[in-house]
Amino acid sequence: MEYFMEAMRRYADFNGRSRRKAYWMFILFNIIFSFVTGVFDELTDTIIISTVYSLAVLIPQLSAGARRLHDTNRSGWWQLLWLVPIVGWIVLIIFLAQDSQEGENDHGANPKEVALESATV
């Protein structure tokens, strides 16, 4: 839940890098909450709750994806591959699942290395 809340706090921050675990935990909780809102909408015979939730997490999801792509030294604009059915989705999932680029890149310091340094101090 910590990763989900962190992504929501940084909802408009498209700069920097985000670890693979942080991104995929955000996606996991997003799927769970989407399922729950969908079930609630089915029970109440509306689509209001799931629609409001989907709109509320749209920008945080884009910013988390951009930070994750930055961690692999790619531009956040690669997320436009979501618009290309099947092939684009597969390529983007591979990009999002790749390990962090070692060391510092154009988007900042490696969050894994920063976490390791702060843990040893």
Side-chain angles (χ1 to χ4, degrees), residues 89-117:
W89 304 341
I90 293 169
V91 170
L92 194 53
I93 289 171
I94 290 170
F95 286 170
L96 293 168
Q98 287 180 337
D99 197 12
S100 301
Q101 181 188 26
E102 296 291 323
E104 195 166 317
N105 67 18
D106 296 338
H107 306 285
N110 186 342
K112 278 186 179 178
E113 294 171 0
V114 170
L116 287 175
E117 290 174 6

Side-chain angles (χ1 to χ4, degrees), residues 51-117:
T51 302
V52 169
Y53 175 75
S54 296
L55 289 173
V57 296
L58 178 63
I59 300 298
Q61 191 168 355
L62 290 173
S63 67
R67 289 190 306 270
R68 178 68 202 125
L69 287 168
H70 290 168
D71 197 37
T72 62
N73 203 25
R74 290 182 178 83
S75 170
W77 287 102
W78 279 100
Q79 291 182 91
L80 290 174
L81 286 176
W82 287 124
L83 302 175
V84 180
I86 302 174
V87 174
W89 304 341
I90 293 169
V91 170
L92 194 53
I93 289 171
I94 290 170
F95 286 170
L96 293 168
Q98 287 180 337
D99 197 12
S100 301
Q101 181 188 26
E102 296 291 323
E104 195 166 317
N105 67 18
D106 296 338
H107 306 285
N110 186 342
K112 278 186 179 178
E113 294 171 0
V114 170
L116 287 175
E117 290 174 6

Side-chain angles (χ1 to χ4, degrees), residues 2-12 26 60 63-64 67:
E2 165 190 340
Y3 297 110
F4 183 82
M5 294 310 296
E6 176 67 22
M8 295 303 281
R9 278 191 292 273
R10 294 180 64 190
Y11 76 95
F26 169 73
S63 67
R67 289 190 306 270

Side-chain angles (χ1 to χ4, degrees), residues 4 8 25-42 46-58 61:
F4 183 82
M8 295 303 281
M25 291 301 286
F26 169 73
I27 294 299
L28 174 67
F29 278 101
N30 191 13
I31 290 170
I32 291 169
F33 294 148
S34 294
F35 178 76
V36 169
T37 59
V39 168
F40 186 76
D41 278 349
E42 280 295 317
T46 65
I47 59 167
I48 301 297
I49 302 297
S50 61
T51 302
V52 169
Y53 175 75
S54 296
L55 289 173
V57 296
L58 178 63
Q61 191 168 355

